Structure formats: structure tokens, C-alpha cells
Amino acid sequence: MSPRKRPKKNASAMKMLGAQLAALRRAAGHTQRSLGERVAADEETIASIEQGRRPLKADLAEVLDALLDAKGALTAGVENLPEIDLFPLWAEEFMDQEREAIALSLYGNQVLPGLLQTEAYARAVFRSRVPVYDEDEIETFTAARIERQAILRRKAPPTVSYVVWEPVLRFPLGGREVYKEQLHHLRVASERPGLTLQFLPLDRVTHAALDGPFVLMETPDHQHLAYAETQRGSQWVSDPDDVSILARRYAMLRAQALTPEDSQGLLDHLLGEQ
């Protein structure tokens, strides 16, 4: 932790803990005002805690646990509240879905897929951010990204398909040594069973995904979802018609891209130039 910056509580977890308090309050038959009166807090304080705008303090959590017969749930929640808000709620939801998915398909045109990044490349991605992260944040985010890659080492890993635009592959992010290590890492990853890596070459005259990158995933209960990030947020797509459109785009991208074998050949060619 940087000594010049106080840690901020995890906003996503605060909202979850607040929602838990609201549910317990309603089950006990209290309004925000009546609950506040019982614990010597004003109505606005209770509302702020329930909305995740104000942290629930340990001493108040103990009082509420006893009053609402919560069996220590609120106190435990406060004690285990993460120190740092690593990811916004939409990103946490994506990683939860990604962790359980049985199939993942991704089109990338900005950086290489997170699950295929080396530690040095991931660090370079976070170091490129504007406004800049401090070094502690960069190391924290890098470690979290590398930890995500355990998905590919599961006993039963998901079926994974990637289509990456060629300029991303040729972008030496982080410098020559980082780039060379990343190319080698991609070449090794391309041999993984159940993982397909294809590159969409620059000489194609058609392109099925000019609107930007996206992810398709299939959940264990065979629900099909899509996800797309923007500069300031993200969008989940669950409507079957909209997911179908993105799935058809991805199918076309795979047809427009180099075959997996030719994509490996491109990696070999670039590695030979290093």
C-alpha cells in the first residue's frame, strides 16, 4: 500500500453489505427511520449505509446484528470488507461469469486477451493507463490478472476461442524484451488443447466487427451471454436476439481470420525476427 494514499473501501462490497442490511431491516418490520431511532442514528445514516455510500462501522454492526437477529452476519461482513476497491461491480460480475464459463470467445482489437498476457505485458498495459495508476495499484492489478489465468489450468478448462486483430499482435507494448516474451507465451498457449488462437490479418478487405471488441460466453447451465467494454464502463448483453447477432459476427470473424495453423506460422515468423 502506498503511504501517500489511504485505502478506500470496496464500493461493490459496501453496496452488497448495505443491501443485506436493508433485507434484514425489512424482514424485522422496520423502516429506515424506526431502525435509526432504535440504534441512535438518523434516517439518512441508515439510508446511506444501505445504498453503499457510507461504510457500516463495526460497533454499529454489532448492535444491528443483535437487534435484527442477524447472527453476526453484519459484523462478519464488516470484518471481511476488502480494503481496496480493485474492480467496479460490472468487472467483478464479468470475472465471476468468466470463472464458471464452459466456453469463451473473444475478439480483441486493442490489447491481447487478459488470459493470455504475460506478467510483464499485463504490467505494461496497466502502466499505460491515463490517469496513471501508482506502482502499488499496478502491482495489485497485475497480480489479479495473472491469478485469473488459473481458469485455463482447471481440471476441466473452458473451450476458448480468440480472434485478435493483427496490429495488436505487432504492437511491442512494454518494449522489445516484453514483446518477445509475450510472442513466445502466445505460441505456447496456441498449443493448449481446447484453445484456438487466430489473427485477423491487415490485408483483409472485409471486417465483421468494426464496432469494437466483445466477449461471448456460455454458462454451466447453457445460458449464452455477451459482454463489451467501453472507455468508461461496460455492457452485458443477455437478450437472445442481441447475443445471436454478436455470435454471427464472431463466426464471420473466424472465417475472415487466418486459420489456427497459419496463425501459429505468423507467430513463428515474428519470433524469427526477434
Side-chain angles (χ1 to χ4, degrees):
M1 185 197 317
S2 171
R4 61 183 174 80
K5 178 180 288 189
R6 295 179 61 191
K8 57 183 179 180
K9 289 295 184 181
N10 188 315
S12 302
M14 283 172 57
K15 288 181 181 179
M16 187 176 300
L17 189 59
Q20 190 175 15
L21 170 59
L24 290 167
R25 170 182 59 77
R26 288 191 292 268
H30 280 290
T31 64
Q32 291 175 341
R33 175 176 293 182
S34 67
L35 181 63
E37 291 172 351
R38 293 291 301 275
V39 297
D42 57 42
E43 182 179 356
E44 174 57 28
T45 296
I46 299 299
S48 294
I49 293 172
E50 291 186 356
Q51 293 164 14
R53 293 186 286 111
R54 178 179 296 187
L56 176 60
K57 302 296 185 181
D59 54 351
L60 180 56
E62 290 183 12
V63 172
L64 290 168
D65 271 332
L67 179 62
L68 301 175
D69 193 26
K71 298 179 172 58
L74 296 174
T75 299
V78 170
E79 291 174 350
N80 290 281
L81 197 65
E83 280 293 312
I84 298 175
D85 192 0
L86 285 184
F87 306 102
L89 187 59
W90 48 264
E92 294 276 11
E93 183 180 356
F94 171 76
M95 289 184 288
D96 286 343
Q97 294 282 7
E98 179 188 62
R99 197 174 296 117
E100 301 296 328
I102 62 173
L104 292 166
S105 300
L106 178 147
Y107 166 63
N109 68 351
Q110 298 162 330
V111 294
L112 292 167
L115 296 185
L116 297 183
Q117 293 178 8
T118 64
E119 183 175 337
Y121 184 96
R123 188 174 289 110
V125 170
F126 292 120
R127 190 162 281 136
S128 298
R129 192 252 199 182
V130 178
V132 298
Y133 289 127
D134 67 34
E135 288 300 314
D136 290 334
E137 290 173 316
I138 290 171
E139 292 306 312
T140 298
F141 295 148
T142 299
R145 175 154 297 179
I146 299 306
E147 183 180 347
R148 278 173 57 205
Q149 297 175 3
I151 294 167
L152 300 179
R153 299 189 295 273
R154 285 184 345 208
K155 185 176 181 180
T159 300
V160 181
S161 170
Y162 292 116
V163 175
V164 178
W165 197 31
E166 186 178 346
V168 178
L169 177 64
R170 292 183 177 272
F171 178 31
L173 186 64
R176 181 175 177 181
E177 292 304 314
V178 172
Y179 179 58
K180 182 178 180 179
E181 180 191 26
Q182 181 63 66
L183 288 177
H184 178 72
H185 185 72
L186 289 175
R187 186 63 178 84
V188 172
S190 72
E191 299 283 357
R192 281 183 174 275
L195 188 150
T196 301
L197 178 59
Q198 296 174 257
F199 299 109
L200 183 66
L202 275 169
D203 61 3
R204 287 290 186 264
V205 297
T206 56
H207 189 311
L210 293 174
D211 289 339
F214 60 91
V215 181
L216 298 168
M217 60 175 63
E218 182 179 355
T219 68
D221 59 356
H222 306 297
Q223 181 183 11
H224 292 267
L225 303 170
Y227 175 87
E229 288 191 13
T230 67
Q231 288 281 338
R232 297 297 299 157
S234 72
Q235 179 183 11
W236 275 104
V237 181
S238 58
D239 180 84
D241 291 336
D242 292 333
V243 174
S244 173
I245 290 171
L246 291 174
R248 282 179 277 163
R249 288 182 184 176
Y250 192 78
M252 186 62 72
L253 279 172
R254 294 194 68 180
Q256 293 169 344
L258 299 175
T259 67
E261 293 76 18
D262 288 342
S263 296
Q264 289 176 332
L266 178 56
L267 286 170
D268 291 338
H269 172 74
L270 293 174
L271 282 165
E273 292 180 346
Q274 302 306 304

